[in-house]
Amino acid sequence: MTMNDLADTSAQPATLDELRRNLAPLIADAAAFDGWTREAVQQAAELAGVDPELAAFAFREGQMAMVTAWIAHVDEVMLRAVPPESLEGVSIRERIRRLVMARLDAAAGREEALTRAIAIMAMPGNVVAAGKLGWRSADLMWRVAGDRAADYNHYTKRATLAALYAATLQVFARDTDPEKAETRAFLDRRIEGVMRFEKAKARFTRQPDQRFSVTRLLGRLRYPSR
């Protein structure tokens, strides 16, 4: 738990959503030992000085409610660490890298809780909700990165980033190096792959009059220009 986490829990929350976000990092700390359970919620509430019954009510929907709150907390940490104005003049590749790393840094030291959270999200009954969470995280990262795509690129970019982030989380969770060298190398490779894909997609989807046309080629072969 960091000093920022303690600062977040020091103020009395105004809403249940705020309470969930405030308790989430403390629950994650406890989840490394007790899992994402009611016991973890109780420990977090006691540490934060919150009524345990109120905390239990806030997370009455169970494990996915706890994991969802933790992801919302990670969103906030990412936005504090990498505000949009800090990305001005930075390449798209580096923007995405910084945003993903900010999220991973927010989970650093809680790898066991992350592993348990990934297992919870992989449960058949949670797959749809987990997919929505992954999409939301990818959408937030792209919006912070300055993406304004309104066509189908809006969806393909987010689907691609969601898959990249999910794969990187798996590597991060088992990376025992304090510097996370394997995770950083993996992330860089995946981002490079995404950039190549985006360039290839841009060539394929450029204006019709700029695309290669078999019909136009055959026409020119039959009726060569003079």
Side-chain angles (χ1 to χ4, degrees):
M1 182 174 57
T2 67
M3 293 302 295
N4 282 338
D5 294 336
L6 284 173
D8 288 342
T9 58
S10 62
Q12 290 300 317
T15 67
L16 283 179
D17 283 341
E18 185 179 344
L19 173 62
R20 294 184 190 102
R21 288 194 301 272
N22 288 354
L23 290 180
L26 303 179
I27 295 173
D29 289 339
F33 304 97
D34 299 316
W36 295 87
T37 60
R38 286 177 292 182
E39 288 74 19
V41 172
Q42 182 175 353
Q43 288 187 38
E46 291 173 354
L47 184 59
V50 173
D51 182 353
E53 291 187 6
L54 177 60
F57 177 77
F59 292 100
R60 63 192 180 281
E61 295 178 359
Q63 293 176 316
M64 277 301 292
M66 302 176 206
V67 173
T68 298
W70 190 35
I71 294 174
H73 167 76
V74 170
D75 289 342
E76 293 182 345
V77 173
M78 180 191 73
L79 289 172
R80 290 198 301 267
V82 190
E85 58 270 19
S86 71
L87 298 175
E88 294 180 5
V90 178
S91 68
I92 289 295
R93 179 197 310 262
E94 181 61 18
R95 291 181 188 190
I96 295 301
R97 180 185 172 281
R98 290 184 189 181
L99 289 164
V100 172
M101 284 307 306
R103 300 185 73 86
L104 298 179
D105 288 343
R110 298 175 175 129
E111 287 82 357
E112 179 59 30
L114 174 61
T115 299
R116 293 173 184 248
I118 290 173
I120 291 169
M121 290 189 287
M123 292 178 179
N126 296 332
V127 169
V128 173
K132 291 179 179 178
L133 289 173
W135 180 274
R136 189 182 72 184
S137 295
D139 178 56
L140 178 59
M141 283 188 277
W142 271 119
R143 286 190 285 113
V144 174
D147 179 63
R148 298 293 181 269
D151 56 7
Y152 81 98
N153 282 310
H154 173 91
Y155 302 98
T156 59
K157 285 181 176 181
R158 282 147 182 80
T160 302
L161 181 54
L164 179 154
Y165 180 52
T168 305
L169 279 177
Q170 295 278 356
V171 177
F172 175 85
R174 64 173 183 266
D175 189 352
T176 58
D177 179 5
E179 300 299 321
K180 299 294 184 182
E182 181 184 352
T183 301
R184 294 175 186 276
F186 177 86
L187 175 60
D188 288 341
R189 290 195 302 271
R190 292 301 295 263
I191 291 178
E192 177 62 29
V194 169
M195 293 299 104
R196 287 199 300 269
F197 171 76
E198 288 296 326
K199 289 178 181 178
K201 185 176 68 175
R203 288 196 298 270
F204 181 77
T205 59
R206 59 190 174 185
Q207 294 300 319
D209 60 346
Q210 296 178 330
R211 295 179 191 167
F212 172 76
S213 170
V214 175
T215 302
R216 187 161 56 245
L217 174 61
L218 293 176
R220 288 177 178 174
L221 291 175
R222 185 176 182 184
Y223 305 107
S225 58
R226 297 179 180 178

